[in-house]
Amino acid sequence: MNEEQQNQLLEKIDKRIAERLAEQSKQIDKRFDDVDKRLDRQDEDFAEISTHLNARIDGLEEKLDTKADKERVYASLDAIMNRLGHDEAERAAVTSQVDRHETMLQKVARRLGLN
């Protein structure tokens, strides 16, 4: 195999690698878009829940007369807030993972000269 054939073979290999990376990049982008959509829906749901809970809490505060009732309600609210905090931490972790993947893909693209 002469040098020209080697160069042609290397060009074909480079082209196939670039095509596969582009395809995988599109697939990863689509998956990240899907995750973003789900997180956006969760944010909207949490905003709705928060608004609803605030309205209910305001109504309950007016009706509660005894300290025991108030303590029970506050314990329930603390549990809900704790759950919301965990969900927020999970969203932050997913966002961080998306950022790491994006950085990695950019490095791979630069090394392959796809920029």
Side-chain angles (χ1 to χ4, degrees):
M1 182 180 290
N2 64 31
E3 188 175 335
E4 184 178 329
Q5 289 172 329
Q6 288 176 350
N7 287 336
Q8 288 175 347
L9 180 61
L10 287 174
E11 286 178 22
K12 284 182 182 180
I13 291 171
D14 285 347
K15 184 178 179 183
R16 282 187 184 169
I17 290 173
E19 288 171 352
R20 286 189 180 171
L21 283 174
E23 181 181 318
Q24 288 177 346
S25 178
K26 286 179 186 177
Q27 291 172 353
I28 290 171
D29 286 346
K30 184 188 178 309
R31 290 171 71 188
F32 285 145
D33 288 343
D34 293 344
V35 169
D36 285 343
K37 287 176 186 175
R38 286 196 320 256
L39 290 176
D40 288 343
R41 282 193 304 268
Q42 283 184 347
D43 286 343
E44 292 169 4
D45 292 344
F46 288 132
E48 253 182 66
I49 290 169
S50 177
T51 301
H52 178 72
L53 285 175
N54 285 337
R56 297 236 5 218
I57 290 169
D58 290 343
L60 286 174
E61 284 178 343
E62 294 173 6
K63 293 179 182 179
L64 292 176
D65 292 330
T66 65
K67 183 178 180 182
D69 288 341
K70 286 182 181 180
E71 288 177 0
R72 188 176 45 109
V73 168
Y74 287 137
S76 296
L77 291 174
D78 286 343
I80 291 169
M81 293 304 293
N82 188 28
R83 193 174 319 152
L84 288 173
H86 288 294
D87 289 340
E88 189 173 317
E90 184 175 339
R91 276 187 306 219
V94 169
T95 300
S96 175
Q97 183 179 23
V98 167
D99 291 342
R100 286 194 311 272
H101 287 161
E102 185 176 32
T103 301
M104 178 206 55
L105 287 172
Q106 288 172 350
K107 287 180 182 178
V108 168
R110 269 191 307 248
R111 286 187 180 166
L112 291 174
L114 298 176
N115 290 20

